[in-house]
Amino acid sequence: MESMLNKLKSTVTKVTADVTSAVMGNPVTREFDVGRHIASGGNGLAWKIYHGIKKSTKQEVAVFVFDKKVIEKYHKFEKDQIVDSLKRGVQQLTRLRHPRLLTVQHPLEESRDCLAFCTEPVFASLANVLGSWDNLPSPVPSSIQEHKLYDVETKYGLFQVSEGLAFLHSSVKMVHANICPENIILNKSGAWKIMGFDFCIPSVNPSEQELKFTCKEWDPNLPPWCLPNPQYLAPEYILAVNCETASDMYSLGVLIHAVFNKGKAIFEVNRHDIYKSFSRQLDQLSRLSSSVFLNIPEEVREHLKLLLNVTPAVRPDADQMSKIPFFDDVGANTLQYFDTLFQRDNLQKSQFFKGLPKVLPKLPKRVVVQRILPSLTSEFVNPDMVPFVLPNVLLIAEECTKEEYIKLILPELGPVFKQQEPIQILLIFLKKMDLLLTKTPSDEIKNDVLPMVYRALEAPSIQIQELCLNIIPTFANLIDYPSMKNSLIPRIKNACLQTSSLAVRVNSLVCLGKILEYLDKWFVLDEIVPILQQIPSREPAVLMGILGIYKCILTHKKLGITKEQLAGKVLPHLIPLSIDNNLNLSQFTSFMAVIKDMLSKLEAEHKTKLEQLHLMQEQQKSLDINNEMNMAGETQANNAYNQLEQIDKAFKNIGPETPCSGTDSKDTSKQQRKVSLTLEEKQKLAKEQEQAQKFKSQQPLKPKSVTPIVAAKQTKDLTNMLMDNNMASLQGNIRAPPSSGLLPAPSFGSTQGISSPVDNMSTYRNGTNGFNTNMPFPGPGLGMVVSNSNQNLSSGYNLTGPAKLNMMAPSNIPNFNTLNVSTGLSQLSHQHKAPADMSSLDNIFGFQKPKVSINQMSQQKPNQWLPQQSLPSQASQDLSGPSPGTQAITAGQTGFGIQGNPFFSPQNFAHQTTNTTNSSSASNDLKDIFG
């Protein structure tokens, strides 16, 4: 990439240096900026042609430059001859003015290094186009390499040369004497122009009817630039040293042959032996073969033979040649008419422009763009001709690319967009609006095209407004949304509401209906619908237009009317219109059909909304019930905890004067009054309880036993040791004394034991203490007796003596050896049962009402709650401290055992003793019980 840039840079630098050196110091550079090298022309292609710009007017020109360095090899005399020949040709060209001659815009200027003059813009010479590329830039421009002459260009070009020769021969009385491709220049528009008057011969008797011309004898020793091109010279010029106007016509014949044979002349001429060559040529001309005219069109073959005739008098003159049928072509005539357009009046021009659209499609695009378009746009300065010229310009624009349109046509259309008179200009632009919006850049559309449309909507002419409203929907998709929303729709609204023409109002409604699809829903509802309700007239066409817009809004998938709009604005507007007296039966039917569709949509949408609201309300109620149930569950849990505290307080305050059953009943009734559930909540609660029962009936998960790591010195388990040492005494027979001061003697039947207190005790344990009732009991039964001497409550399998009691414990009595208080409390907190009736326990333990904790018991003297007994020394040692992992229980914690005996409490069963006093009285107490 870098190498390419460097190469391009070096090429540009070299070209710039060549141009600078070529024209350095020449006075032409004072007024003109010399650009790139584009072509070559003149005798021997001696002139380099550059692109130039006039500094004062920025007008485009062609700068012809002859560099004197190319003739440095010649002697001074030869150099002077060459320079004089070139200067003579340019000076003669400058004095002549004709459309078929190259126009000189700045005369010849000479400097030490070059000759230079300026002409009209030039494309190339005919020799360059036909393949002679001498003195061209390297590489040869692609525009020249790829240039192809169309038939119409060839015909009209030869016609132009013929007209130029006719001007020289008849008007100027001059023979050109060097008609060849090097001296035929194609200007920027493609017109063929004659130059190269270096060897022209004026008549010596211009005033006489028979002209006489004198020519110089051919001098082979002169440089080529000082001699004409011998291949295009007539034989008499060389052989008879004679020339006349017919000599130029011979040159024209050779030129025609060369044009149709890629620049190749009929004969090859040897410059060094020119007389012999022309003698041979003279013989060949008398018997030309058909192969010479093989590529020549048939329409011009016979005329070409006449032009190449040996006898000058037989050759047709220039005026006759310009009138041959070969040049009578539609395209050639069209181009010829444009060249003479300035001579025509407006009526002739208008007639010609009306028929031009039929001819333009038959012409090549390059010819139309180069030759016809500039002539058409030049007529824009004449307002009366614009309506006739504009359709042709827009027709050419359709065939152009967007780049060509922007470069060649749009700059010329700018002033025309602003013209309001004649009114046909607006009509023509409106009909071609899709073309303008497609190829015109967005900035020019906003600045030029759309303002023209707005002016048409506001024009006083009703016909213009109607046409504009009819055309707008055809290009609405090309208008940007902001312009349509802010500029176009408001003007259509004004045209609809303020006009007095029924046609304009109806067309406005039709236009709105067609462009609805390019608008958004809310703009239609906010802007278009109110317009319909403001229309004052009630003609059937207007009413049907209103109905059509409503129907389009209702049924269009992109738009749609909300149910609020339907109920509040649309239906109250449409229903009165439907019964207007101006409507006929079919129109009324159309109204009712749309109204029914609207009502159906209104019903469907609102019904759907209400159903959704109802469903949301039901879901909300369900959520509220769940919240209430959650709150009820929390309340029940709090109540369970409160019940647990009440049980603890009941056992602490138990006595004959305050029975537990009454307190519990009162609290339960109060709790029931606090919580009032609905039927659905109760049903759901019952289902949850049933589910909980199912979960409880399942087998409990058995944790995996893990062998604990025994410390080096571990305190022995007091309960296990006592149970092992006294198992025999617990299973033995214990005799009760005849009388006991602890319990009153109950009365039993013949077959009834003291089962009520024990049953109450088991019921209390299983139902109200919160322990797991499924835990196994270590023994099958329990025997209890009251001792008279020691007042001890012992357990065993058999009772003997007068007061023998046989009490079987239920199988579901918990194993207190593995139970702890924390488990019981956690289960009790999830129970929803009311506190059990404790009245049966009052009969057994009514004489004792201890209200102290274990800590307080340990601080009291043994004789305050049990008779003193002695314990084994090992048991005394085990009471010296709690077992490993035990947890202290404060006086505020809840727990219960057999009333009056703290060793049957869950705290002792779980080895959770606190602040146990290692005293001799405690040891004696244990000895009294288990001794």
Side-chain angles (χ1 to χ4, degrees), residues 602-669:
L602 176 64
E603 178 185 2
E605 289 187 1
H606 198 63
K607 184 176 180 181
T608 303
K609 177 183 177 181
L610 293 178
E611 290 176 352
Q612 293 176 353
L613 289 176
H614 179 72
L615 180 61
M616 293 173 61
Q617 291 174 358
E618 292 296 328
Q619 294 176 353
Q620 187 64 33
K621 287 182 180 179
S622 177
L623 294 176
D624 293 341
I625 291 174
N626 292 335
N627 293 334
E628 291 180 2
M629 293 182 65
N630 292 334
M631 294 176 63
E634 295 178 358
T635 304
Q636 292 175 1
N638 294 333
N639 291 340
Y641 184 77
N642 295 334
Q643 290 172 4
L644 183 61
E645 292 182 350
Q646 291 174 4
I647 292 173
D648 185 44
K649 292 179 181 179
F651 275 93
K652 289 181 180 179
N653 300 315
I654 190 169
E657 65 282 344
T658 55
C660 294
S661 60
T663 304
D664 295 340
S665 174
K666 183 177 180 180
D667 294 339
T668 303
S669 62

Side-chain angles (χ1 to χ4, degrees), residues 307-607:
L307 291 174
L308 297 177
N309 196 286
V310 177
T311 306
V314 179
R315 303 166 191 165
D317 58 27
D319 187 60
Q320 293 172 343
M321 193 64 189
S322 62
K323 295 178 182 179
I324 63 175
F326 176 70
F327 298 125
D328 191 11
D329 180 76
V330 175
N333 290 335
T334 302
L335 296 178
Q336 181 185 4
Y337 197 93
F338 273 106
D339 289 339
T340 60
L341 196 61
F342 63 93
Q343 303 174 2
R344 316 290 178 172
D345 57 18
N346 287 345
L347 181 60
Q348 293 174 332
K349 291 180 182 179
S350 62
Q351 295 296 328
F352 171 73
F353 291 141
K354 285 181 181 179
L356 185 60
K358 299 178 182 179
V359 180
L360 290 178
K362 300 178 181 179
L363 298 177
K365 178 182 176 181
R366 189 184 73 237
V367 175
V368 172
V369 172
Q370 289 183 349
R371 299 295 308 276
I372 297 179
L373 182 61
S375 300
L376 290 174
T377 55
S378 64
E379 292 292 326
F380 283 155
V381 297
N382 187 357
D384 295 334
M385 286 293 101
V386 173
F388 302 98
V389 175
L390 187 58
N392 296 290
V393 174
L394 296 179
L395 183 61
I396 296 173
E398 291 179 354
E399 301 299 326
C400 294
T401 63
K402 188 174 182 179
E403 292 74 15
E404 292 173 342
Y405 168 82
I406 294 174
K407 180 180 179 180
L408 302 174
I409 300 177
L410 185 59
E412 306 294 338
L413 291 179
V416 184
F417 285 136
K418 299 178 174 60
Q419 293 184 13
Q420 299 184 9
E421 294 293 338
I423 201 63
Q424 290 83 0
I425 297 176
L426 280 177
L427 299 178
I428 296 170
F429 276 132
L430 291 176
K431 291 180 180 179
K432 294 292 184 179
M433 189 58 62
D434 54 343
L435 168 68
L436 298 177
L437 295 178
T438 302
K439 294 189 175 181
T440 305
S442 57
D443 294 339
E444 280 73 11
I445 289 177
K446 293 180 181 179
N447 298 331
D448 297 328
V449 180
L450 291 182
M452 179 191 62
V453 178
Y454 304 151
R455 289 196 301 271
L457 285 173
E458 298 171 348
S461 174
I462 294 177
Q463 296 176 349
I464 295 296
Q465 290 183 352
E466 289 183 30
L467 180 61
C468 185
L469 292 170
N470 290 331
I471 294 175
I472 284 175
T474 61
F475 60 84
N477 60 323
L478 302 176
I479 302 177
D480 60 293
Y481 184 74
S483 298
M484 180 176 291
K485 176 180 177 181
N486 301 322
S487 300
L488 185 61
I489 297 298
R491 286 176 169 83
I492 297 177
K493 174 183 176 182
N494 294 334
C496 181
L497 299 180
Q498 299 177 4
T499 185
S500 58
S501 172
L502 177 62
V504 173
R505 183 164 291 159
V506 173
N507 287 326
S508 299
L509 293 175
V510 174
C511 180
L512 286 176
K514 291 181 178 179
I515 65 177
L516 284 178
E517 58 181 328
Y518 306 110
L519 305 175
D520 61 72
K521 175 180 179 179
W522 299 112
F523 180 77
V524 171
L525 295 179
D526 295 339
E527 299 294 335
I528 304 300
V529 173
I531 294 175
L532 304 179
Q533 299 173 0
Q534 298 172 11
I535 297 176
S537 59
R538 290 293 180 267
E539 290 82 0
V542 176
L543 297 181
M544 295 307 295
I546 295 173
L547 180 66
I549 293 178
Y550 276 132
K551 184 176 180 180
C552 183
I553 298 174
L554 180 68
T555 58
H556 197 280
K557 59 181 180 180
K558 177 184 174 183
L559 304 176
I561 308 177
T562 63
K563 60 186 181 62
E564 291 80 10
Q565 291 271 359
L566 284 175
K569 295 182 179 180
V570 178
L571 287 174
H573 181 227
L574 270 184
I575 293 175
L577 296 181
S578 64
I579 59 174
D580 192 278
N581 295 330
N582 295 324
L583 297 178
N584 57 28
L585 178 60
S586 61
Q587 294 168 347
F588 172 75
T589 304
S590 301
F591 263 88
M592 295 311 298
V594 175
I595 291 174
K596 289 178 182 178
D597 292 341
M598 290 182 176
L599 290 173
S600 300
K601 182 178 180 181
L602 176 64
E603 178 185 2
E605 289 187 1
H606 198 63
K607 184 176 180 181

Side-chain angles (χ1 to χ4, degrees), residues 30-74:
R30 300 173 186 171
E31 299 183 19
F32 297 90
D33 291 326
V34 181
R36 67 185 185 278
H37 184 190
I38 56 176
S40 62
N43 188 32
L45 298 177
W47 295 93
K48 291 183 178 180
I49 306 175
Y50 294 88
H51 179 270
I53 298 293
K54 191 172 184 179
K55 295 180 180 180
S56 58
T57 61
K58 304 300 179 183
Q59 183 181 2
E60 190 176 3
V61 297
V63 181
F64 284 72
V65 177
F66 176 76
D67 192 355
K68 293 181 179 180
K69 292 180 181 179
V70 298
I71 59 174
E72 289 181 352
K73 62 182 180 179
Y74 295 103

